[in-house]
Amino acid sequence: MKRLTDPKPFKEIMPKVLQMILNVGLTVLALALCVMLIIEMVEFLKFIVGGEKQEYKYFFAKILVFFLYFEFITMIVKYFKEDYHFPLRYFMYIGITAMLRLIIVEHDSAVDTLIFAAVILVLIIGYYIINITPRERPLRKS
């Protein structure tokens, strides 16, 4: 007869419950990002068709925000396709895009621009290191 305080069912059920909560949360987040992406697309089309006089900074900022939404949605799709795993390279893509957005929009200070460029360089070097390391590592024998 099993005791009610037996930890085995808890160890088996709890990860599944937490995974379900995470999946539902990410699905809701993906839907919200899709709505935001559509709103950005509409704003972008209004900008192009309406012929409003806006600064080019505003134009580039809107394009890069669009790509950030797109990358986050893509990352969530990859999470579900790769058996509940976030590929690290997508975080690096998002970081590079975000830093490029900062450089384009906030380029008043040369020191800040240099720091942002250094961050992009570090991210690219990290991405290169990830790509040259083997994905499958042999198991160590103890």
Side-chain angles (χ1 to χ4, degrees):
M1 181 171 168
K2 286 189 173 184
R3 296 182 337 195
L4 291 176
T5 59
D6 189 15
K8 187 168 181 168
F10 181 78
K11 287 182 180 178
E12 292 173 359
I13 294 172
M14 197 59 184
K16 291 178 183 177
V17 169
L18 292 175
Q19 186 68 53
M20 181 72 73
I21 292 169
L22 179 65
N23 290 347
V24 168
L26 281 173
T27 303
V28 170
L29 178 64
L31 292 174
L33 287 171
C34 286
V35 169
M36 297 299 288
L37 183 72
I38 291 169
I39 290 170
E40 285 298 322
M41 233 186 302
V42 169
E43 289 291 320
F44 184 68
L45 290 174
K46 281 183 188 176
F47 178 78
I48 291 176
V49 175
E52 298 175 14
K53 292 287 183 178
Q54 296 280 346
E55 289 187 28
Y56 70 94
K57 285 184 187 181
Y58 177 79
F59 179 73
F60 284 129
K62 285 293 185 184
I63 290 174
L64 289 171
V65 167
F66 176 83
F67 278 110
L68 284 174
Y69 286 134
F70 186 77
E71 287 176 1
F72 275 115
I73 293 168
T74 303
M75 188 172 66
I76 292 171
V77 168
K78 279 291 188 185
Y79 169 80
F80 287 111
K81 282 186 176 179
E82 294 192 13
D83 295 326
Y84 312 118
H85 172 72
F86 280 118
L88 183 61
R89 68 180 184 270
Y90 283 96
F91 286 110
M92 295 182 138
Y93 295 154
I94 291 169
I96 291 169
T97 304
M99 295 311 297
L100 284 171
R101 179 183 182 275
L102 276 175
I103 288 175
I104 290 171
V105 175
E106 304 288 331
H107 60 272
D108 298 333
S109 170
V111 174
D112 289 345
T113 303
L114 186 62
I115 292 170
F116 298 154
V119 169
I120 291 172
L121 179 63
V122 168
L123 287 169
I124 290 171
I125 290 169
Y127 181 76
Y128 177 74
I129 291 170
I130 287 172
N131 280 337
I132 63 170
T133 56
R135 296 201 194 288
E136 302 276 335
R137 293 197 174 107
L139 296 173
R140 290 188 212 167
K141 292 184 179 180
S142 302

